[in-house]
């Protein structure tokens, strides 16, 4: 399926199982989302270029590896992307952070933007876009288009659960954007929810 990658990782699968459970309370849901955000960040950025550096350990000098360029910007799609952002920031504490507020109309399933605060150096750093749910793909496609309009060059998208419909749409509209998901689920239901999914990520995160 296009640019989608689903890593095989027992720990990621284990945490996702806990996240999916109907009876996982909001506080645990947020903690799990942050932990999954950290794992996804490491996976999504595995191809960042590295360069050799000379260092000294307490025992001996050595040639080690360091990032060749600046850390990419982290961009959270509000609201639920904030849960992933917390974990991503543990991995990249120096990365500039952007916020994109998008909400899906419950009837049309179309997203509308209510806030956009993006870092200035998207072109130089690239961006890792974070949103737990890729359902119809409308929100992700709009978010990527917004980042491109703001000048972002290399964009990566990380989500927790993807539906085949959303993955196909994102691959069709933005074939240049690699997509990482912890799971590819079966389908969307008639209300646009991912099946089996995990329910409404924003509501579960914030107890609304
Ligand atoms: C959810 C989710 C995605 C979007 C996915 O957000 O976090 O942003 O739906 O659906 P799509 O692929 O069909 O566009 P929602 O609009 O419910 O907002 P919220 O995070 O504030 O609850
Ligand atoms: N948004 C969610 O939060 N969950 C879904 O299943 C689909 C869209």
């Amino acid at each position: 399926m296009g640019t989608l990658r689903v890593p095989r990782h027992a720990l990621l699968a284990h945490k996702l199982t806990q996240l999916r459970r109907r009876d996982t309370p909001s506080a645990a849901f947020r903690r799990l989302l942050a932990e999954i955000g950290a794992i996804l960040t490491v996976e999504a950025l595995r191809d960042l270029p590295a360069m050799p550096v000379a260092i000294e350990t307490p025992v001996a000098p050595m040639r080690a590896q360091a990032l060749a360029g600046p850390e990419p910007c982290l961009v959270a799609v509000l609201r639920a992307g904030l849960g992933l952002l917390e974990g991503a920031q543990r991995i990249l504490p120096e990365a500039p952070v952007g916020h994109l507020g998008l909400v899906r109309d419950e009837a049309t399933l179309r997203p509308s933007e209510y806030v956009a605060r993006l870092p200035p150096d998207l072109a130089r750093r690239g961006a890792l876009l974070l949103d737990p749910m890729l359902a119809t793909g409308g929100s992700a496609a709009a978010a990527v288009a917004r980042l491109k309009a703001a000048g972002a060059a290399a964009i990566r998208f990380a989500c927790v659960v993807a539906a085949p419909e959303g993955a196909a749409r994102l691959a069709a509209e933005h074939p240049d954007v690699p997509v990482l998901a912890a799971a590819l689920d079966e389908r969307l239901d008639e209300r646009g929810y991912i099946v089996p999914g995990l329910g409404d990520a924003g509501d579960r995160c914030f107890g609304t």
Side-chain angles (χ1 to χ4, degrees):
M1 166 97 48
T3 57
L4 179 76
R5 184 165 69 86
V6 180
R8 279 175 65 89
H9 196 307
L11 190 55
L12 184 58
H14 177 75
K15 288 182 186 295
L16 174 57
T17 299
Q18 292 174 271
L19 194 75
R20 286 186 193 270
R21 286 183 197 278
R22 174 197 288 272
D23 51 5
T24 296
S26 194
F29 189 91
R30 280 196 304 278
R31 175 181 55 76
L32 288 161
L33 205 49
E35 291 167 358
I36 289 171
I39 297 170
L40 290 177
T41 299
V42 171
E43 273 291 330
L45 302 177
R46 65 184 311 151
D47 63 342
L48 279 185
M51 63 178 188
V53 286
I55 64 163
E56 286 188 23
T57 78
V59 178
M62 70 171 286
R63 273 169 78 77
Q65 296 281 310
L67 286 183
E71 293 180 352
C73 300
L74 299 170
V75 180
V77 177
L78 308 184
R79 293 171 297 165
L82 290 173
L84 290 177
L85 175 67
E86 192 188 320
Q89 282 187 293
R90 283 188 216 149
I91 305 298
L92 297 179
E94 310 285 341
V97 172
H99 296 88
L100 262 183
L102 295 175
V103 65
R104 224 172 48 147
D105 182 287
E106 285 181 13
T108 65
L109 300 183
R110 291 225 179 91
S112 59
E113 182 183 302
Y114 57 89
V115 70
R117 301 284 287 177
L118 297 172
D121 49 357
L122 284 166
R124 190 170 64 94
R125 292 173 176 268
L128 175 59
L129 188 57
L130 302 161
D131 188 338
M133 309 307 281
L134 179 61
T136 65
S139 303
V144 171
R146 191 70 171 77
L147 291 185
K148 287 182 176 174
I155 302 170
R156 296 172 170 85
F157 180 79
C159 63
V160 179
V161 183
E165 294 89 334
R169 177 167 176 183
L170 199 50
E173 291 190 26
H174 300 288
D176 54 315
V177 173
V179 178
L180 181 75
L184 177 64
D185 275 12
E186 288 165 23
R187 61 184 172 86
L188 296 179
D189 71 9
E190 59 289 346
R191 293 183 308 146
Y193 277 86
I194 300 175
V195 182
L198 50 76
D200 188 306
D203 284 355
R204 294 196 65 186
C205 222
F206 297 108
T208 46

